[in-house]
Amino acid sequence: MKKVLTGSVLLGLLCAAAPLGAKEVQMICTNPKIAYVVSFDTDTKVFKTTDTAIGSDITVRRVQDDADGVLVWTATAVFGGEREMLALFGAEKWMKYFYGNGSIQTDACK
C-alpha cells in the first residue's frame, strides 16, 4: 500500500508541475502549389511548417489564445528580408503570408 501511495503522490506532483492549458495545435494547409503541415506548441512557443519555401528559423512574435482559437504572429528571414506570417488554429483555420510589396496570400487549412 505504501508503494502505491508514494507513486500516486509522485504522479500528482508531476501533473501539478506541468503548465495548465499547454497544447500543440496542428493543421494542414494548401495553396496552388503544395499541401503542407503547420504546428505550434503553446508551451514551448515553437512554430513549425513543412513548407520548404519558408525557412526553419521562425520567430514567434505574439500569441493570442482565446475562445476563437490560437492566433500566432511569426516572422522569418526570406531573400535578405523578413516575411511575416499569421496563423489561426481554431474553428476557422488559415495561414496568411505578408509580402514586402503589400500583397497578402491566404492559404486555406483544415
Side-chain angles (χ1 to χ4, degrees):
M1 178 70 170
K2 189 175 185 178
K3 287 183 181 179
V4 173
L5 182 59
T6 303
S8 297
V9 170
L10 181 59
L11 180 61
L13 289 173
L14 289 174
C15 290
L20 296 175
K23 60 187 170 194
E24 182 175 1
V25 288
Q26 184 174 334
M27 58 189 175
I28 299 171
C29 303
T30 56
N31 63 37
K33 296 179 183 177
I34 62 165
Y36 59 96
V37 177
V38 178
S39 65
F40 179 70
D41 187 309
T42 61
D43 182 31
T44 61
K45 304 289 189 256
V46 173
F47 186 92
K48 295 179 184 175
T49 179
T50 60
D51 183 352
T52 56
I54 303 300
S56 60
D57 186 21
I58 300 171
T59 303
V60 174
R61 296 245 173 111
R62 183 168 290 164
V63 178
Q64 179 178 315
D65 190 352
D66 59 23
D68 293 329
V70 179
L71 183 66
V72 186
W73 175 29
T74 64
T76 188
V78 180
F79 303 118
E82 190 171 69
R83 177 176 298 155
E84 293 182 335
M85 301 170 291
L86 193 59
L88 178 60
F89 302 85
E92 186 179 344
K93 295 174 174 40
W94 45 254
M95 275 290 299
K96 292 184 184 255
Y97 298 88
F98 299 88
Y99 296 91
N101 64 3
S103 64
I104 301 170
Q105 173 184 323
T106 302
D107 293 349
C109 304
K110 57 182 178 175

